Amino acid sequence: MTDSQRTVQLAKGIETTASFVEEHVKMYKEFHRAPELSSEEHRTAESIEARLDELGIEHFRSGGTGVVGLLTNGEGPVVGFRADTDGLPIAEETGLDYASTATGTLPDGKEAPTMHGCGHDTHITAALAAAQYLSESRDAWHGTVVFIFQPGEETAWGAKAMVDDGLWDKAPRPEVVLAQHVMPLQAGKFWLRPGNMASLADSWRVTVRGRQAHGSQPENSLDPIVAAASMVMRLQTIVSRELAPMTPAVVTVGTFHAGLKENIIPETAEFSLNVRTPDEEVRAKVLSSIRRIVAAEAQASGIGEPGIVEINRFPRLFNDAEHTVRATKALEAGFGEGSVISAPLGMGSEDAGWLGDAIGVPVVFWSFGAFADQAFADGASPAGNHSPQFAPDAELSVINGTGAALAVLLEYLGK
Ligand code: ZN
Ligand code: ZN
């Protein structure tokens, strides 16, 4: 037996050859080198389509750069599997020999370096590898997998765009939508729990319009900087004074821009904020408080009501209890007792949930580790998602991402 035919275990009971892993590590590095920004995933989509063609898997576009692959193997259960495909505007600093040097164009027209800084390249590769494995082992399963290669996750745009573009009119309705995400966890470990896996998120831009005047003549101005500064300070009281102490919520003002020169009171000030909430009720409460405070502070400053524009909105990501039990059982069978850790409560956001919620289908989302044990030696931890140093291990990503995908898919589709 040559080395390339050596058996590699993707998960317990799911085996492949070393050359299968090598081929997908190579594919992963190619995706890693060529990240594209949200809703600009044109070459990425074409690469995915080319691969699906090689595997003989029927596919169609949805939501512009979204690709849906339909792998059918006779009658049987239908399962959706989501892999997001977008990169981020980050200058990569991993020092890897396959690091990205690519650039992309931001919505405002600015050129930016791009990086697969959230590991979506591991998701694409794992989904394509699972598709190949399943298409080559048809005796082991039956049914249909709807592979959803979703663009624009980082801007909360893609899941909605695919659904609005008729994803579920063209693909069969699944009994569950599965999705996974690489995280700074040891290879072979998973985060999963029922209920909220991420928070709802809303981003808004607020434009405060006053009256411009010479810096020496405040009496002729309506100062938008002072008004906007009061808004920013008062917004801090929503979480601390209006919500119960155990309610997890965040209101962050992430940008604040006004003025060009110290002796000119400008006409406008603009800030943007990001809100994280655990459910629709808290969300509605926090957003209405923001509107109230912005309007009231404008009134207190004697200026007109500021403009508020929604930048993006992340829906809930809610793990169905029954299907979470099934996925946990499958992952523990594949990776051993104790491999599934109850996910820590965080305020990250994800739009995968909408792929199921939009049609009333349950969703299960888990995180998988793809880092070697030594990355955690002596209490260290590897750089996390969105860091310029985020660097999952290529081979561990392929093995564990594909193994997890197959373990849970075969739980539903296995004979
Ligand atoms: Zn991300
Ligand atoms: Zn991500």
Side-chain angles (χ1 to χ4, degrees):
M1 192 163 50
T2 65
D3 193 52
S4 65
Q5 286 161 330
R6 183 170 53 86
T7 298
V8 175
Q9 185 176 272
L10 297 170
K12 235 165 265 158
I14 302 174
E15 288 175 344
T16 187
T17 59
S19 68
F20 176 97
V21 173
E22 271 162 37
E23 185 191 346
H24 288 96
V25 166
K26 193 165 154 258
M27 180 190 291
Y28 165 70
K29 290 179 177 176
E30 280 164 18
F31 281 119
H32 189 85
R33 272 193 198 101
E36 293 172 291
L37 294 172
S38 304
S39 77
E40 298 292 326
E41 307 88 342
H42 301 286
R43 280 175 290 109
T44 304
E46 283 163 19
S47 302
I48 292 166
E49 286 171 324
R51 186 60 183 167
L52 293 173
D53 283 336
E54 281 168 19
L55 297 173
I57 295 173
E58 185 194 331
H59 57 82
F60 63 87
R61 284 282 181 114
S62 184
T65 43
V67 178
V68 181
L70 295 175
L71 176 57
T72 298
N73 192 24
E75 293 286 311
V78 180
V79 176
F81 188 90
R82 199 275 322 238
D84 44 2
T85 63
D86 50 336
L88 286 160
I90 297 175
E92 181 162 350
E93 295 171 13
T94 57
L96 294 165
D97 60 6
Y98 54 91
S100 165
T101 54
T103 59
T105 308
L106 290 162
D108 65 6
K110 284 194 192 111
E111 195 84 352
T114 58
M115 173 186 177
H116 265 300
C118 203
H120 298 180
D121 45 356
T122 70
H123 309 168
I124 304 169
T125 309
L128 288 171
Q132 177 169 345
Y133 182 95
L134 291 173
S135 64
E136 288 172 355
S137 47
R138 289 176 181 266
D139 290 346
W141 67 285
H142 61 146
T144 297
V145 188
V146 182
F147 284 102
I148 304 163
F149 295 92
Q150 183 212 302
E153 185 282 324
E154 297 288 354
T155 51
W157 164 85
K160 186 171 187 307
M162 292 188 83
V163 170
D164 289 353
D165 196 24
L167 160 61
W168 295 122
D169 301 328
K170 291 174 213 154
R173 181 188 173 89
E175 69 176 88
V176 65
V177 172
L178 309 172
Q180 61 176 1
H181 205 300
V182 67
M183 288 284 166
L185 267 174
Q186 277 162 288
K189 298 286 184 208
F190 302 90
W191 278 338
L192 176 57
R193 68 181 151 81
N196 275 346
M197 275 296 280
S199 74
L200 286 73
D202 292 87
S203 293
W204 285 1
R205 185 177 300 111
V206 180
T207 306
V208 181
R209 198 168 288 279
R211 187 192 304 137
Q212 185 161 327
H214 195 284
S216 68
Q217 296 163 358
E219 73 278 18
N220 293 330
S221 78
L222 288 171
D223 190 336
I225 294 182
V226 173
S230 295
M231 291 170 196
V232 172
M233 294 308 292
R234 181 89 195 194
L235 290 173
Q236 308 309 313
T237 64
I238 298 173
V239 173
S240 68
R241 303 291 82 195
E242 297 188 34
L243 298 182
M246 301 306 283
T247 301
V250 180
V251 177
T252 290
V253 176
T255 69
F256 190 112
H257 300 290
L260 293 169
K261 198 172 185 309
E262 72 290 346
N263 65 355
I264 303 170
I265 297 167
E267 178 163 333
T268 60
E270 190 178 86
F271 62 91
S272 63
L273 53 85
N274 182 251
V275 176
R276 309 277 167 144
T277 49
D279 57 43
E280 286 294 346
E281 198 186 328
V282 178
R283 172 175 187 269
K285 159 76 187 147
V286 171
L287 295 184
S288 89
S289 296
I290 292 171
R291 285 194 188 278
R292 188 193 74 237
I293 288 168
V294 166
E297 287 291 347
Q299 199 192 9
S301 298
I303 62 176
E305 191 152 331
I308 295 179
V309 175
E310 180 183 298
I311 302 169
N312 62 51
R313 156 201 289 231
F314 281 90
R316 72 171 192 167
L317 176 58
F318 190 86
N319 271 351
D320 177 87
E322 191 187 316
H323 289 276
T324 299
V325 170
R326 255 183 112 167
T328 302
K329 196 184 93 185
L331 290 171
E332 293 220 309
F335 294 86
E337 198 86 6
S339 57
V340 178
I341 306 160
S342 181
L345 272 170
M347 298 306 276
S349 297
E350 241 296 341
D351 67 347
W354 187 243
L355 295 167
D357 281 352
I359 51 166
V361 165
V363 171
V364 180
F365 178 100
W366 65 87
S367 299
F368 68 94
F371 288 82
D373 291 351
Q374 61 261 31
F376 300 85
D378 302 323
S381 56
N385 306 60
H386 292 212
S387 157
Q389 283 109 28
F390 183 64
D393 182 89
E395 191 173 300
L396 294 175
S397 294
V398 167
I399 292 174
N400 290 277
T402 310
L406 288 169
V408 183
L409 281 167
L410 289 168
E411 158 69 19
Y412 287 90
L413 304 165
K415 275 186 180 161

